[in-house]
């Protein structure tokens, strides 16, 4: 079966179904929220989801690259924390300006990713182990900088962070949302229109066959971890906009949120299929769960985790059904 | 009346679309060594899987009588309990456990739920003495050679009080000394009353050791020969194995043979898992433009290994030898090098190594030639689509569109995608490994036509195939490979199945 018919005989290729399901889920949640809660069904609620989760979105983009090759990156949360810490300490202590600090942070994150990617490729070690080590390393480095939260008081930085970009009709977004959108578009372009993107999908589809087709599998693997490192560092910068502080306990467990977003977005954990648009939807679904719970008011925030847990189960089952059908 | 320990009759086993076994009969006398011979794919292994319960009772037709009882085995455990043990070509040992642990794996010597190590090692030592394995029972299996691992397998079988021991290509991976020792051991076991069935391609071993031979061809029993009463020679077995006529399943082709395009000399490749063993040993080949050359060899002869080691060293370690392209020496270190030098290799395992099954046709077609379809890293999707469309039409790929997922296509159409992918890289040399494996007859004809066309375009084609009729019907010249060495080069006119089979089964002198 190549296709799945949905209503009126319209056929959707099987690979788009998970993304479509996530999309429908998002719409359904929004409609339910709109019926239940006063003031929920407004454009700003959706935009707030973007504003509150811009950093997660950027991190999840990097994670999508890695998972598409069939790998995993557990270090992203720690790299985010390390980035907030480096930014805050350099701006607070020696008083370096943001336009020096931010590129430096991005460089450190990419460098860490490059190192992990190289270890994965050169020594053929499971990405799980390498990035687990990277996770501990980056988290540990945070505490060598400081064990307390460091506030960011740099004037340019705070001004930029608090900028409101007004859209039409009272709607607004933050600069972080613009940055995240640019990252998403650039990443989608790379994945779908470049040789690197092809190599990413081919490596995840079947590493051995990609090797025998002469595709640069090794270089691709190093590249995706570097991209993920860069995205984590950028996510860290966006998180410092949001928090206006650097702290070693920022973004604890964020790697799991990112993985959850990617999986809910329909990307197979074994690699090879998935879309960046799905990841965006995945992040939105996670964000919307939080919003609904905050509208509900009486439920504790741990309910978020329970819903994410249930959703993940549902999506993994869904993926299982599809892959089972593909390999009879 | 003779005492038969095993009688299989009327065994028919069907897989979707293929009749692997058809009314097969096999009778083995108690206490003999019985050999089963047949070409690759004749159905030997399937028959042994039916016998050992890998294909459980009810999934095949026919009857098995073993040791006076009906054998209706639901799984390997059942057949082992009855006393049938099968030792596969790929040994099934746990490499990080000791010899003693392996021997009693799943059958542990335990007391009240705890393993009795003294008894385990003591009994292991006794069994090892029986098979002539001089090692410490606590030695880890990965530290001993394949020959000795084979003996561990046999010791394991003896620990289960085996009545019928089945060995699938037991000497394929062994050197001469180990093979000789193994054959002696089998004779010893026969004298102890253990019946052996061996599946072997090495006919000299078969004639040396077996008491009777059953020949299987195309899933049917052809004959059972008694070594003592019938005058059985290797020739006699070969004619039984191949005896079928060639019909016109091959499109006619008049080659126009041009200049030499690829030559390899003294090509030697070592096994990555056993660095001492030569998988390809001093091979030399010459390919010319417009020519279709065959490479014949039995399983384990080193055909795929030769091709893959040549194709960017994707197999093997310690590769040595010289490669000449158009008369000039070249170095091929990676797959990219090979593609750049105009060499393409279509693998025998299409689904695992040849295609990205979850991607569509156009992305598979473009995968190996992406650099030609892109500028500064950006893929020209229109060009890619146009190219895929062109192949969709010219190769007659039966699929709704070039966006169809490759995993859903039939074997023949998948193979056309693989060929399209390689043709797009503009190769001078195409190495096609089992190009028609798992493809139905009609599609085979199409593949043959494509191969002829490739040769007519001035490319050299090397076809590796287990099916001798295919090589005879398609190739202008055929090399034979046996135990990693080129044992012959036969032009089409002089080639017969018998002659090739002789060369393919020629052992080391």
């Amino acid at each position: 079966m190549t296709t799945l018919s949905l209503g009126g005989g319209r056929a959707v290729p099987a690979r788009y179904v998970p993304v479509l399901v996530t999309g429908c889920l998002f719409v359904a949640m929004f409609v339910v929220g709109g019926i239940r809660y006063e003031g929920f069904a407004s454009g700003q609620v959706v935009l707030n989801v973007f504003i509150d989760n811009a950093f997660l979105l950027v991190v999840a983009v990097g994670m999508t690259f890695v998972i598409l090759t069939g790998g995993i990156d557990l270090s992203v949360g720690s790299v985010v924390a390390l980035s907030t810490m480096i930014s805050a300490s350099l701006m607070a202590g020696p008083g370096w300006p943001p336009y020096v600090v931010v590129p430096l942070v991005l460089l450190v994150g990419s460098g860490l990713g490059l190192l992990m990617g190289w270890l994965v490729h050169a020594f053929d070690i499971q990405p799980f182990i390498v990035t687990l080590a990277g996770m501990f390393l980056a988290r540990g480095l945070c505490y060598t900088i400081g064990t307390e939260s460091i506030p960011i008081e740099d004037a340019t930085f705070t001004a930029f962070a608090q900028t409101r970009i007004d859209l039409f009709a009272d709607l607004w977004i933050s600069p972080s949302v613009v940055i995240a959108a640019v990252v998403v578009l650039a990443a989608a372009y790379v994945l779908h229109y470049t040789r690197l993107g092809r190599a990413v999908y081919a490596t995840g589809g079947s590493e051995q066959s990609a090797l025998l087709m002469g595709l640069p599998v090794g270089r691709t693997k190093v590249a995706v971890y570097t991209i993920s490192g860069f995205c984590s560092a950028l996510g860290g910068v966006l998180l410092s906009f949001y928090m206006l502080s650097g702290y070693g306990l920022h973004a604890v467990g964020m790697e799991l949120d990112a993985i959850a977003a990617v999986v809910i977005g329909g990307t197979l954990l074994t690699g090879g299929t998935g879309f960046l648009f799905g990841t965006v939807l995945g992040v939105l679904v996670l964000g919307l769960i939080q919003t609904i719970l905050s509208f509900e008011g009486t439920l504790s925030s741990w309910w978020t985790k329970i819903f994410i847990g249930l959703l993940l189960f549902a999506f993994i089952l869904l993926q299982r059904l599809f892959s089972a059908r593909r390999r009879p | 009346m003779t005492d038969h320990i095993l009688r299989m009759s009327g065994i028919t086993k069907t897989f979707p679309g293929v009749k692997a076994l058809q009314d097969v009969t096999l009778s083995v006398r108690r206490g003999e060594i019985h050999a089963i011979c047949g070409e690759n794919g004749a159905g030997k292994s399937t028959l042994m899987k039916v016998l050992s319960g890998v294909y459980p009772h009810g999934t095949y037709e026919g009857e098995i009588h073993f040791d006076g009882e009906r054998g209706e085995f639901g799984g390997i455990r059942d057949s082992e309990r009855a006393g049938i043990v099968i030792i596969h070509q790929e040994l099934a040992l746990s490499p990080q456990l000791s010899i003693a642990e392996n021997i009693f794996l799943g059958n542990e010597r335990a007391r009240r739920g705890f393993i009795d190590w003294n008894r385990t090692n003591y009994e292991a030592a006794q069994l090892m003495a029986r098979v002539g394995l001089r090692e410490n029972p606590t030695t880890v299996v990965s530290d001993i050679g394949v020959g000795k691992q084979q003996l561990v397998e046999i010791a394991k079988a003896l620990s289960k009080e085996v009545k019928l021991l089945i060995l699938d290509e037991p000497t394929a991976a062994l050197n001469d000394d180990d093979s000789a020792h193994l054959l002696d051991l089998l004779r010893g076991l026969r004298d102890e009353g253990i019946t052996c069935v061996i599946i072997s391609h090495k006919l000299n071993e078969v004639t040396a050791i077996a008491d009777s031979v059953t020949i299987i061809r195309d899933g049917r029993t052809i004959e059972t020969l008694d070594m003592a009463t019938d005058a059985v020679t290797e020739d006699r077995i070969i004619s039984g194995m191949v005896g079928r006529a060639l019909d016109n399943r091959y499109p006619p082709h008049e080659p126009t043979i041009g200049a030499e395009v690829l030559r390899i000399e003294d090509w030697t490749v070592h096994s990555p898992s056993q660095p001492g063993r030569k998988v390809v040993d001093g091979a030399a080949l010459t390919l010319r433009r417009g020519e279709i050359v065959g490479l014949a060899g039995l399983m384990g002869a080193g055909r795929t290994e030769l091709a893959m080691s040549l194709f960017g060293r994707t197999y093997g370690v310690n590769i040595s030898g010289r490669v000449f392209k158009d008369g000039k020496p070249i170095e091929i270190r990676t797959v990219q090098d090979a593609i750049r030098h105009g060499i393409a290799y279509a693998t025998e395992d299409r689904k695992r190594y040849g295609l990205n099954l979850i991607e569509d046709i156009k992305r598979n077609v473009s995968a190996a030639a992406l650099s030609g379809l892109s500028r500064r890293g950006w893929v020209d999707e229109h060009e890619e689509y146009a190219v895929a469309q062109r192949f969709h039409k010219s190769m007659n790929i039966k699929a709704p569109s070039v966006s169809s997922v490759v995993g859903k296509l039939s074997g023949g159409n998948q193979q056309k995608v693989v060929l399209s992918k390689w043709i797009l890289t503009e190769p001078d040399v195409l190495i096609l490994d089992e190009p028609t494996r798992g493809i139905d007859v009609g599609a085979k004809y199409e593949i043959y036509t494509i191969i002829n066309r490739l040769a007519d375009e001035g490319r050299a084609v090397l076809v590796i195939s287990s099916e001798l009729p295919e090589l005879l019907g398609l190739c202008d010249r055929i090399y034979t490979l046996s135990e990693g060495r080129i044992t012959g080069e036969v032009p089409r006119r002089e080639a017969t199945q018998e002659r090739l089979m002789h060369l393919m089964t020629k052992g080391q002198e």
Side-chain angles (χ1 to χ4, degrees):
Chain A
M1 261 183 53
T2 327
T3 52
L4 193 100
S5 323
L6 292 171
R10 293 244 352 216
V12 177
R15 59 197 330 187
Y16 298 120
V17 171
V19 182
L20 208 72
V21 171
T22 313
C24 294
L25 183 74
F26 178 73
V27 172
M29 283 167 62
F30 192 71
V31 169
V32 170
I35 294 169
R36 269 186 74 113
Y37 312 111
E38 192 100 355
F40 187 92
S42 80
Q44 193 58 44
V45 167
V46 179
L47 292 181
N48 283 343
V49 170
F50 274 107
I51 293 167
D52 295 339
N53 292 286
F55 54 91
L56 179 60
L57 184 54
V58 171
V59 171
V61 166
M63 187 66 83
T64 309
F65 275 88
V66 175
I67 291 182
L68 277 176
T69 62
I72 194 98
D73 188 350
L74 298 179
S75 72
V76 294
S78 303
V79 175
V80 166
L82 182 63
S83 305
T84 65
M85 209 58 188
I86 296 176
S87 314
S89 65
L90 287 183
M91 283 187 278
W96 289 16
Y99 55 83
V100 177
V101 173
V102 170
L104 182 75
V105 164
L106 296 181
L107 209 65
V108 171
S110 312
L112 268 172
L114 179 74
L115 176 71
M116 288 186 287
W118 177 74
L119 286 172
V120 168
H121 162 57
F123 298 100
D124 203 15
I125 314 175
Q126 288 101 326
F128 189 96
I129 300 300
V130 175
T131 59
L132 185 70
M135 172 178 125
F136 286 121
L137 177 75
R139 190 66 74 179
L141 284 176
C142 292
Y143 294 104
T144 62
I145 297 173
T147 51
E148 302 290 316
S149 172
I150 306 172
I152 297 175
E153 278 148 359
D154 182 274
T156 337
F157 199 84
T158 46
F160 185 72
Q162 286 159 354
T163 308
R164 274 177 164 229
I165 302 172
D166 286 313
L167 304 174
F168 53 92
D170 283 348
L171 298 177
W172 65 277
I173 52 173
S174 66
S176 298
V177 176
V178 177
I179 294 175
V182 169
V183 169
V184 167
L185 290 179
Y189 203 67
V190 167
L191 275 180
H192 295 290
Y193 296 103
T194 66
R195 279 165 73 187
L196 175 65
R198 292 312 173 74
V200 167
Y201 278 99
T203 303
S206 165
E207 194 172 324
Q208 289 130 331
S209 79
L211 268 173
L212 281 179
M213 289 179 197
L215 293 172
V217 171
R219 231 189 304 151
T220 307
K221 283 205 211 163
V222 177
V224 294
Y225 289 96
T226 312
I227 290 172
S228 179
F230 174 85
C231 287
S232 311
L234 186 59
V237 172
L238 299 190
L239 187 65
S240 9
F241 286 150
Y242 192 73
M243 299 282 201
L244 286 178
S245 68
Y247 189 24
L249 283 177
H250 275 336
V252 170
M254 194 197 224
E255 57 279 348
L256 303 179
D257 289 336
I259 294 169
V262 173
V263 171
I264 291 174
T267 301
L268 271 185
L269 265 183
T270 45
T273 49
F275 299 95
L276 206 61
F277 182 59
T279 299
V280 176
L281 283 174
V283 172
L284 288 180
V285 166
L286 294 187
L288 207 59
I289 293 174
Q290 279 166 341
T291 312
I292 289 178
L293 290 172
S294 69
F295 267 84
E296 187 68 40
T298 53
L299 288 175
S300 106
S301 68
W302 287 103
W303 279 96
T304 323
K305 303 279 177 203
I306 293 173
F307 280 119
I308 295 176
L310 292 175
L311 265 185
L312 272 177
F313 276 129
F315 273 87
I316 287 164
L317 276 178
L318 188 76
Q319 292 191 349
R320 191 73 231 159
L321 290 177
F322 280 110
S323 47
R325 193 183 300 161
R326 209 169 46 218
R327 285 185 272 274
Chain B
M1 182 176 158
T2 18
D3 178 15
H4 284 106
I5 187 167
L6 172 73
R7 249 210 293 259
M8 300 173 82
S9 52
I11 303 288
T12 298
K13 169 81 190 166
T14 350
F15 295 107
V18 203
K19 249 193 178 149
L21 294 176
Q22 212 169 343
D23 197 20
V24 169
T25 308
L26 176 68
S27 300
V28 179
R29 289 173 299 193
R30 191 180 294 279
E32 71 165 348
I33 296 179
H34 193 107
I36 298 179
C37 292
E39 285 188 293
N40 297 338
K44 297 164 295 185
S45 297
T46 312
L47 184 65
M48 290 305 112
K49 283 179 180 164
V50 166
L51 175 57
S52 60
V54 174
Y55 300 133
H57 178 76
T59 61
Y60 56 87
E61 293 158 41
E63 286 185 4
I64 300 175
H65 290 271
F66 179 70
D67 205 17
E69 286 174 33
R70 279 178 83 113
E72 297 180 350
F73 307 129
I76 295 179
R77 273 195 169 261
D78 289 352
S79 66
E80 285 195 349
R81 206 168 301 133
I84 300 174
V85 176
I86 183 161
I87 297 177
H88 292 280
Q89 200 175 342
E90 299 86 23
L91 299 178
L93 296 173
S94 185
Q96 301 306 324
L97 296 183
S98 73
I99 295 176
E101 284 172 300
N102 265 293
I103 289 177
F104 294 113
L105 200 59
N107 186 19
E108 280 80 8
R109 293 292 172 258
R111 208 183 318 154
R112 277 183 250 111
F114 290 94
I115 291 180
D116 182 343
W117 287 110
N118 285 332
R119 211 175 124 212
T120 301
N121 289 330
Y122 175 71
E123 289 185 17
Q126 282 183 322
L127 289 166
M128 287 159 66
R130 254 176 98 188
V131 298
L133 175 60
R134 277 181 293 276
E135 284 286 341
N136 190 321
T138 56
T139 305
V140 172
V141 160
S142 60
D143 290 345
I144 60 176
V146 187
K148 287 181 173 172
Q149 291 183 3
Q150 186 82 261
L151 297 179
V152 174
E153 282 269 20
I154 294 174
K156 187 175 175 180
L158 294 179
S159 81
K160 294 173 186 162
E161 287 168 16
V162 58
K163 291 177 194 154
L164 176 68
L165 182 63
I166 303 166
L167 298 117
D168 192 353
E169 295 287 344
T171 59
L174 303 189
N175 62 29
D176 291 350
D177 284 349
D178 284 346
S179 299
H181 177 78
L182 185 73
L183 296 182
D184 278 343
L185 174 63
L186 293 183
R187 287 194 190 95
L189 292 177
R190 172 178 60 189
D191 297 341
E192 292 177 31
I194 294 172
T195 313
C196 285
V197 170
I198 69 167
I199 298 175
S200 182
H201 280 321
K202 296 187 182 168
L203 299 183
N204 54 349
E205 288 176 10
V206 170
T207 49
I209 191 175
D211 301 305
S212 50
V213 184
T214 294
I215 296 169
I216 295 182
R217 186 207 312 154
D218 296 337
R220 296 165 198 265
T221 310
I222 300 306
E223 55 195 340
T224 296
L225 304 169
D226 189 316
M227 299 304 232
T229 53
D230 308 324
V232 179
T233 59
E234 289 182 37
D235 289 343
R236 179 71 189 77
I237 299 175
I238 287 175
S239 65
M241 280 162 70
V242 298
R244 66 187 145 185
L246 279 180
D247 42 26
N248 51 354
R249 283 182 291 153
Y250 305 95
H253 182 234
E254 272 306 315
T256 3
I257 296 171
E260 169 194 307
V261 55
L262 189 82
R263 183 170 85 239
I264 61 171
E265 286 177 356
D266 203 15
W267 193 255
T268 300
V269 180
H270 291 80
S271 157
S273 48
Q274 309 147 247
R277 199 163 77 89
K278 288 179 182 175
V279 184
V280 178
D281 187 359
L285 293 175
T286 307
L287 305 178
R288 291 177 297 209
R289 288 190 186 278
E291 187 182 34
I292 303 172
V293 178
L295 185 60
L298 293 163
M299 218 169 275
R303 302 165 304 181
T304 299
E305 290 81 358
L306 170 62
M308 289 184 70
S309 61
L310 183 63
F311 186 65
R313 308 193 175 188
T314 41
Y315 172 89
V317 292
N318 249 333
I319 300 168
S320 62
R322 296 175 296 280
V323 187
F324 299 88
K325 174 81 195 299
D326 296 320
K328 284 189 274 298
I330 57 167
E331 278 277 336
I332 307 172
R333 298 189 171 276
T334 62
V335 174
Q336 285 96 327
D337 283 351
I339 293 173
R340 210 167 21 248
H341 284 297
I343 299 171
Y345 168 69
T347 148
E348 61 177 336
D349 192 346
R350 198 163 50 233
K351 287 178 192 284
R352 259 175 72 201
Y353 301 123
L355 293 166
N356 185 354
L357 291 178
I358 59 184
E359 276 290 5
D360 58 20
I361 293 176
K362 63 177 184 307
R363 290 198 167 189
N364 270 286
V365 168
S366 65
L370 267 185
S371 54
L373 288 172
S374 51
R375 263 174 297 278
R376 271 182 259 110
W378 305 98
V379 178
D380 185 342
E381 294 222 321
H382 297 290
E383 180 67 24
E384 181 185 35
Y385 183 80
V387 163
Q389 281 289 3
R390 208 173 72 219
F391 280 110
H392 188 200
K393 200 173 279 170
S394 70
M395 301 290 266
N396 191 22
I397 299 170
K398 290 181 196 75
S401 83
V402 293
S403 304
S404 306
V405 173
V406 165
K408 318 262 181 183
L409 303 180
S410 71
N413 286 306
Q414 287 184 350
Q415 188 67 297
K416 289 179 200 168
V417 173
V418 171
L419 291 176
S420 305
K421 174 180 80 187
W422 288 118
I423 293 169
L424 189 58
T425 66
E426 295 288 330
D428 296 318
V429 178
L430 279 117
I431 305 171
L432 309 179
D433 199 348
E434 300 286 358
T436 62
R437 175 175 286 176
I439 292 177
D440 63 69
V441 180
K444 275 185 183 180
Y445 193 89
E446 280 187 88
I447 300 286
Y448 298 141
T449 313
I450 293 168
I451 293 174
N452 285 339
R453 198 167 74 207
L454 291 171
D456 290 339
E457 288 166 4
R459 309 176 206 273
V461 184
L462 180 68
V463 178
I464 299 173
S465 178
S466 302
E467 291 181 41
L468 289 182
E470 178 171 282
L471 291 177
L472 291 170
L474 192 64
C475 299
D476 305 313
R477 192 156 53 91
I478 299 168
Y479 286 104
T480 55
L481 197 62
S482 172
E483 295 174 35
R485 303 195 309 172
I486 300 279
T487 50
E489 179 187 352
V490 188
R492 180 186 227 164
R493 289 185 313 283
E494 298 165 24
T496 60
Q497 297 201 45
E498 285 77 8
R499 173 143 184 225
L500 292 178
M501 190 57 90
H502 264 293
L503 292 167
M504 284 155 66
T505 48
K506 199 159 136 186
Q508 302 230 8
E509 266 86 60

